[in-house]
Amino acid sequence: MTISESDFHVSPVQGARRVVPSERPAVENTITTMNGNHRVSTDDDGKADHDGHLKISRETRIATSIRSILEDIGEDPNREGLLKTPERYAKAMLFFTKGHEESAYDIGKDAIFNIDHNEMVLVRGIEVFSMCEHHLIPFVGKVHIAYIPNGRVLGLSKLARIAEVYARRLQVQERLTKQIAQAIEDLLRPQGVAVVIESVHMCMVMRGVQKSSAMTTTSCRTGIFKASRAAEEEFQFLLQLKQN
């Protein structure tokens, strides 16, 4: 079963930076090279524009910034071990944030099926890696997603894909939890959704308080999971079942 765009309610909680490739405008900033003789535009292609100006890709711009950072911390970006580091970091950062250009609707719209099932569906232990927007340091965790259908179910792999879309953005864990729950709510209109995330934040392990064993848990519930104690107890019971 396929739903149309008009059937899908897009909630603001999906994120202020929700951009898909077809909608992304060219970067408007124009910069001048150091000698002032050439105009340099910035876009994603690294090609010349219609005026013959050189265009610099986002990857190149990030790599250039990382070279400056390496110099500022007293390193030599031209030494053997660091020669390719700026380019590697640029590619990694674009991968870590690729979710800003992806849509949960596009991922799930063709995997919704009409099935007469109204018992809880739970996928637990979905590994996620996300970049904390406060420090640009990653946090690593597991997502547990449950929902009670209301005549429609979503392909199981799409639950993990939706979690990945929102994790691959500059994030805070609290927002990530809510965005995953809201996306499933909007796609399926189920009786209710429950999402729990357990994660370790490297900003607490590598710096600051340096507590390697600290675990952060966040949760979001909608619909019947808020109203029914029985639904919540079943969710907690299934979460605690040992995996063989």
Side-chain angles (χ1 to χ4, degrees):
M1 178 239 179
T2 302
I3 61 174
S4 66
E5 190 86 35
S6 61
D7 296 325
F8 184 73
H9 169 68
V10 179
S11 168
V13 78
Q14 300 235 351
R17 263 195 68 186
R18 184 181 178 277
V19 182
V20 295
S22 60
E23 298 171 345
R24 186 180 61 225
V27 178
E28 297 177 353
N29 295 352
T30 301
I31 62 175
T32 304
T33 54
M34 292 297 291
N35 61 17
N37 294 328
H38 302 284
R39 300 294 292 175
V40 182
S41 301
T42 56
D43 73 353
D44 290 338
D45 300 323
K47 301 176 181 178
D49 64 14
H50 63 278
D51 294 322
H53 301 155
L54 176 65
K55 292 185 176 180
I56 300 178
S57 68
R58 288 189 300 163
E59 184 177 316
T60 300
R61 294 177 64 196
I62 295 170
T64 301
S65 299
I66 294 302
R67 284 183 63 86
S68 296
I69 291 173
L70 289 172
E71 291 172 350
D72 288 341
I73 65 173
E75 269 288 1
D76 176 12
N78 294 315
R79 71 175 175 86
E80 183 180 9
L82 294 177
L83 274 177
K84 296 295 183 181
T85 297
E87 289 78 11
R88 294 189 189 102
Y89 184 90
K91 290 178 181 178
M93 182 57 72
L94 290 174
F95 177 77
F96 294 154
T97 59
K98 68 187 180 73
H100 286 298
E101 298 173 0
E102 296 177 336
S103 162
Y105 167 75
D106 290 338
I107 286 172
K109 65 181 180 180
D110 294 326
I112 297 174
F113 308 100
N114 290 318
I115 295 181
D116 184 18
H117 180 78
N118 60 2
E119 299 296 333
M120 190 177 303
V121 177
L122 170 65
V123 177
R124 63 181 181 180
I126 302 169
E127 292 184 345
V128 293
F129 305 85
S130 194
M131 188 70 72
C132 176
E133 65 185 39
H134 298 313
H135 306 97
L136 294 186
I137 297 176
F139 60 91
V140 181
K142 292 186 176 182
V143 181
H144 315 295
I145 302 173
Y147 71 94
I148 299 179
N150 192 18
R152 302 196 298 187
V153 299
L154 184 66
L156 295 177
S157 68
K158 304 305 179 184
L159 295 173
R161 288 286 307 279
I162 288 172
E164 177 81 358
V165 165
Y166 292 109
R168 294 301 184 188
R169 301 182 179 189
L170 295 183
Q171 276 291 11
V172 295
Q173 183 175 332
E174 295 87 345
R175 183 198 303 131
L176 174 60
T177 310
K178 189 172 183 180
Q179 285 177 331
I180 294 170
Q182 189 65 62
I184 298 167
E185 180 79 22
D186 289 345
L187 274 168
L188 294 179
R189 305 302 172 94
Q191 297 181 55
V193 181
V195 176
V196 172
I197 300 181
E198 303 169 295
S199 70
V200 175
H201 289 250
M202 293 299 105
C203 63
M204 294 180 64
V205 175
M206 300 169 60
R207 58 175 297 280
V209 294
Q210 301 179 55
K211 302 300 181 184
S212 60
S213 61
M215 179 76 68
T216 300
T217 302
T218 52
S219 67
C220 180
R221 289 160 174 75
T222 72
I224 195 170
F225 285 99
K226 284 186 172 183
S228 170
R229 181 175 179 178
E232 175 63 21
E233 288 179 347
E234 182 181 1
F235 175 54
Q236 294 297 333
F237 172 76
L238 293 176
L239 274 183
Q240 294 169 19
L241 283 179
K242 291 184 178 180
Q243 295 183 351
N244 295 326

